Amino acid sequence: MVSRILMYVLTGTISLWAMAQEDTVYLEELPVVGDSFQRFTTGTGYRSIALTNSSSSLEEALSDENSIYFKSYGNQQLSSISFRGTSASQTSVLWHGIPANYPTLGQMDFSQWPAWLMERVAIQPGSGGALYGGGAIGGTVLIDSEMNLTESPLLEGKMSVGSFGYLFTGIRSAYGQGQWRGATKIFRSFLQNDFPYEYAGKQVRQKNASVLNYGVQQQLSYEVSPNQKVSLDAQYTRNDREVQPSKVSPNLQDELQTGNVRLAAGYQLELPKGSLTSTLAFLQNDQQYNQDDRTVSNQYSALVAYWGELSEVLAVRLGGNTNFFTARSDNYVSHFVDRQTALFGSLEIKPTTWWTGTINLRQSFYQENRPFTPSFNQKFSVLNTEKNRVAINSQLAWGFRYPTLNDLHWSPGGNPDLKPEESFNLEGGVGWTHTWPAFSSSLDLTAFNTWSDNWIIWLPDGSGIWSPRNFRAVEITGMEFSAKMSGKWIGLLHKVGSAYSYTQSQNKEGTNRGKQLPYTPLHNAHLSLKTSSDKGWFGKAMGDFTGKRFTTLDNTEIQSVDGYLLIDVHMGKTLAVSDTFDLEVSVVVKNVFDQPYENLINRAMPGRNYQFNLLIKYN
């Protein structure tokens, strides 16, 4: 069975490779391997992320988002995400619409996906199971859902050097001729990670924590006709890291080597009032711990989706997807194939200029489980003038998450009788935008409540063996506020942004009822100021506050991690050497005030550090 699936995926991939060559830059229309997610969301939740040249990883690219907290096991070490007080495995990561979380762990290490290989990133906070599939209880991260192509040649080269032995080099090129488009990217980064820190009243230098990353990506497309395209996106990344030891055991020497292969072959047909897309994908995650403990997982996925306008007031989205998972490990006692399948449909209704409603439905199939997850969204435009716009939005959504391969099959301890995690989400918000002659501003306020049941927790049994169980119910209550302003003043373009989030994520069962979940800060805040001039100068100052976090279920104060405030500053200049040649030079100062802090208890983080960037662009 698996061999047939593999042959099917590989045959489709090879045939598309032979007839396609695709691009990775930014152009006009025709998204190649994409899906119209944004159309079937309402409110201010769906947000596109601006990728900057200073972001080294997906973690850094998302660091400004107040809905997100990253639990990092050290500087450029394992980084797991938390949306709105949920767990890392309750965040769905989609690449070209395909689930990309590691199936063994059910989550993604956000430090390992380099921003240099990405074209577009978007996020959707809140439950999105009906639209995005299993795992989207806390939120969803969308990577390259659309690839826009260009035939204009482009060549970019980047080099960064920084504190503690940091060195990054990367090259990107885009090209095309006739109906063909192509793009190639390569990168390599290394970090010695030997920063100093203070522990027990002594100055200590971090050791055994170096990180090496490298990878390559090839994108190809072929325009079969004016309304048809086929494409291929192939990438390989490698991460070799020394696992940063804790302050308590600084001499430990552990290593983790991770290789990721991702292939996505796509077809798109543009119709007069809609679009049909299909994607075949293969993803492999290969992890080896200390040279002797290796786990390899393979994923084979297919996605078909259609969206179209039935009339001026109705639009639909219909489709289905299936995912096959296999894995091998010394801790899996038998060979297995896991399959997850779903059918989905969405309806957008816009009968007036002041009200829009969307209904998303998904029926999923996994073993004997048949979770049905609907969501209902609406948006009211209560004021819409030339200078002012006010809109109110609301959502009711159900979500779920299947157990991971480790949850089900790990030996000893795996539990094949686990139930899927379930959730119900209710949220509402209001947004206001105002336009002045020289400035524009916006305010957004969202309140949310999530009830989640059957959370899967690993606990020791009577014999001391750790095993997963559907252990607890959780209620999450919170609010998010953001304010932005942009405009010109004294000849400079200014952008000011601020954001604050309050998240109460509490266990509702057992002896620790009413306690805040570990590593869930009640308060997060962000402030940024960006300035640029017509002569190419630019600057950015950012402040990020992370509140106190408990590390245990009983919220023991002595084992809590103090809150901290970090200030970063970016400065640079873009030089137009000629009509086709640009040079960008910038410097980044992180942790400007040399603040000692911990993200994870007893894991050191660097003080003040510097990064110098040089970007050369030919177009």
Side-chain angles (χ1 to χ4, degrees):
M1 177 73 169
V2 176
S3 60
R4 285 189 219 162
I5 301 167
L6 179 59
M7 286 300 297
Y8 183 60
V9 173
L10 290 180
T11 302
T13 299
I14 292 171
S15 63
L16 285 175
W17 186 296
M19 67 193 303
Q21 303 212 331
E22 171 195 19
D23 176 275
T24 213
V25 186
Y26 335 86
L27 168 72
E28 339 154 0
E29 313 172 341
L30 221 56
V32 175
V33 185
D35 202 1
S36 301
F37 290 118
Q38 185 173 6
R39 179 161 192 154
F40 298 95
T41 64
T42 59
T44 58
Y46 186 100
R47 299 196 286 272
S48 295
I49 306 301
L51 297 176
T52 66
N53 291 319
S54 61
S55 298
S56 62
S57 66
L58 185 55
E59 176 190 5
E60 286 194 16
L62 299 178
S63 61
D64 292 351
E65 294 299 319
N66 64 316
S67 302
I68 297 173
Y69 169 70
F70 282 104
K71 185 170 71 173
S72 299
Y73 286 69
N75 188 33
Q76 292 198 21
Q77 299 286 314
L78 170 64
S79 179
S80 59
I81 193 172
S82 173
F83 263 100
R84 291 182 172 178
T86 58
S87 69
S89 56
Q90 292 175 336
T91 295
S92 178
V93 180
L94 301 181
W95 179 65
H96 296 305
I98 299 295
N101 280 345
Y102 303 150
T104 52
L105 301 173
Q107 57 183 271
M108 170 65 63
D109 182 353
F110 280 73
S111 70
Q112 292 189 2
W113 204 318
W116 187 252
L117 300 186
M118 299 177 192
E119 293 298 324
R120 285 175 172 78
V121 176
I123 65 169
Q124 174 72 55
S127 182
L131 189 59
Y132 303 112
I137 291 177
T140 304
V141 179
L142 301 121
I143 302 172
D144 291 346
S145 292
E146 298 179 353
M147 280 193 315
N148 289 346
L149 313 175
T150 178
E151 62 181 351
S152 301
L154 173 70
L155 181 63
E156 285 184 315
K158 177 186 174 183
M159 175 173 285
S160 299
V161 294
S163 303
F164 319 125
Y166 177 71
L167 176 63
F168 175 93
T169 53
I171 298 175
R172 294 191 287 213
S173 64
Y175 37 86
Q177 184 174 5
Q179 297 161 286
W180 298 88
R181 303 288 184 271
T184 305
K185 303 175 185 177
I186 59 175
F187 79 97
R188 182 187 186 276
S189 69
F190 177 76
L191 176 67
Q192 186 62 43
N193 226 2
D194 56 348
F195 57 88
Y197 64 93
E198 188 173 302
Y199 180 64
K202 297 181 180 180
Q203 191 78 3
V204 183
R205 185 166 291 275
Q206 182 68 59
K207 55 185 178 180
N208 304 329
S210 64
V211 181
L212 172 66
N213 278 306
Y214 56 90
V216 60
Q217 181 180 41
Q218 179 64 56
Q219 295 174 310
L220 304 166
S221 76
Y222 178 74
E223 188 174 299
V224 180
S225 66
N227 67 332
Q228 294 186 77
K229 265 187 182 176
V230 290
S231 65
L232 177 70
D233 190 348
Q235 64 175 247
Y236 173 76
T237 60
R238 177 80 177 185
N239 177 276
D240 295 342
R241 68 163 59 127
E242 295 178 304
V243 179
Q244 181 176 322
S246 70
K247 297 177 179 179
V248 180
S249 305
N251 295 317
L252 287 180
Q253 295 182 346
D254 293 316
E255 295 182 356
L256 179 64
Q257 299 173 328
T258 305
N260 283 297
V261 176
R262 300 182 181 98
L263 302 172
Y267 168 78
Q268 182 172 1
L269 173 64
E270 288 292 320
L271 302 170
K273 291 188 176 182
S275 177
L276 175 68
T277 61
S278 62
T279 305
L280 296 175
F282 169 74
L283 290 82
Q284 182 182 81
N285 174 245
D286 184 347
Q287 289 193 326
Q288 185 161 315
Y289 185 71
N290 284 343
Q291 303 298 321
D292 52 10
D293 186 0
R294 186 180 182 189
T295 300
V296 181
S297 63
N298 296 313
Q299 174 181 335
Y300 313 91
S301 299
L303 168 68
V304 177
Y306 163 81
W307 80 267
E309 296 177 346
L310 301 182
S311 68
E312 293 183 357
V313 300
L314 290 177
V316 298
R317 174 180 175 267
L318 301 169
N321 68 284
T322 186
N323 303 290
F324 291 83
F325 303 99
T326 67
R328 65 179 186 272
S329 171
D330 293 338
N331 295 98
Y332 293 155
V333 295
S334 61
H335 177 76
F336 58 86
V337 177
D338 268 25
R339 181 178 66 185
Q340 301 172 4
T341 303
L343 300 174
F344 52 82
S346 300
L347 178 67
E348 180 195 51
I349 311 167
K350 197 171 184 179
T352 71
T353 58
W354 53 268
W355 184 82
T356 302
T358 60
I359 301 172
N360 298 299
L361 306 173
R362 180 177 291 263
Q363 178 63 64
S364 302
F365 307 89
Y366 175 61
Q367 298 178 357
E368 69 277 3
N369 299 296
R370 303 288 186 270
F372 175 69
T373 48
S375 71
F376 305 95
N377 314 272
Q378 58 181 342
K379 180 179 180 179
F380 294 90
S381 179
V382 297
L383 180 64
N384 191 356
T385 66
E386 184 178 350
K387 292 186 177 182
N388 288 284
R389 293 183 181 182
V390 178
I392 299 173
N393 60 82
S394 63
Q395 173 182 268
L396 284 80
W398 284 258
F400 71 97
R401 182 182 78 84
Y402 293 129
T404 69
L405 299 187
N406 283 0
D407 292 335
L408 298 170
H409 303 287
W410 194 261
S411 179
N415 183 358
D417 298 322
L418 288 170
K419 300 176 183 178
E421 297 177 347
E422 300 173 343
S423 71
F424 172 69
N425 174 259
L426 174 65
E427 68 176 80
V430 58
W432 170 71
T433 60
H434 182 82
T435 303
W436 284 279
F439 282 87
S440 63
S441 63
S442 66
L443 297 174
D444 291 292
L445 177 66
T446 300
F448 56 89
N449 205 308
T450 300
W451 295 267
S452 183
D453 201 7
N454 290 328
W455 270 39
I456 298 172
I457 303 294
W458 283 71
L459 297 168
D461 60 18
S463 60
I465 295 176
W466 287 76
S467 181
R469 284 185 257 166
N470 294 111
F471 178 67
R472 67 180 180 220
V474 173
E475 182 178 357
I476 304 170
T477 304
M479 58 83 67
E480 297 167 349
F481 170 79
S482 68
K484 298 178 182 178
M485 178 177 288
S486 63
K488 275 201 167 185
W489 182 54
I490 60 172
L492 299 174
L493 177 62
H494 302 280
K495 294 182 179 180
V496 181
S498 64
Y500 167 78
S501 66
Y502 172 85
T503 307
Q504 186 180 72
S505 182
Q506 293 185 344
N507 182 24
K508 290 300 179 180
E509 290 183 354
T511 58
N512 296 310
R513 178 185 177 91
K515 301 292 187 179
Q516 183 82 347
L517 294 187
Y519 288 104
T520 305
L522 275 173
H523 307 282
N524 274 335
H526 174 79
L527 180 65
S528 66
L529 169 63
K530 302 177 184 178
T531 301
S532 60
S533 73
D534 296 336
K535 296 183 179 181
W537 290 98
F538 58 89
K540 180 180 179 182
M542 298 177 299
D544 286 289
F545 172 77
T546 300
K548 182 176 73 173
R549 289 131 294 145
F550 296 106
T551 66
T552 59
L553 285 171
D554 60 0
N555 291 182
T556 304
E557 282 286 345
I558 196 172
Q559 295 188 55
S560 63
V561 183
D562 292 335
Y564 57 87
L565 173 66
L566 298 180
I567 306 294
D568 296 346
V569 175
H570 299 210
M571 296 170 288
K573 182 175 175 60
T574 300
L575 303 170
V577 180
S578 67
D579 292 340
T580 59
F581 183 71
D582 291 337
L583 188 67
E584 181 181 298
V585 182
S586 64
V587 58
V588 181
V589 184
K590 298 181 180 181
N591 195 357
V592 172
F593 296 107
D594 203 24
Q595 173 72 34
Y597 72 102
E598 291 180 345
N599 188 292
L600 193 73
I601 191 168
N602 286 327
R603 302 280 178 167
M605 296 298 284
R608 185 186 302 113
N609 59 97
Y610 306 88
Q611 182 177 315
F612 300 90
N613 305 307
L614 174 64
L615 180 69
I616 302 173
K617 182 176 180 180
Y618 171 79
N619 192 351

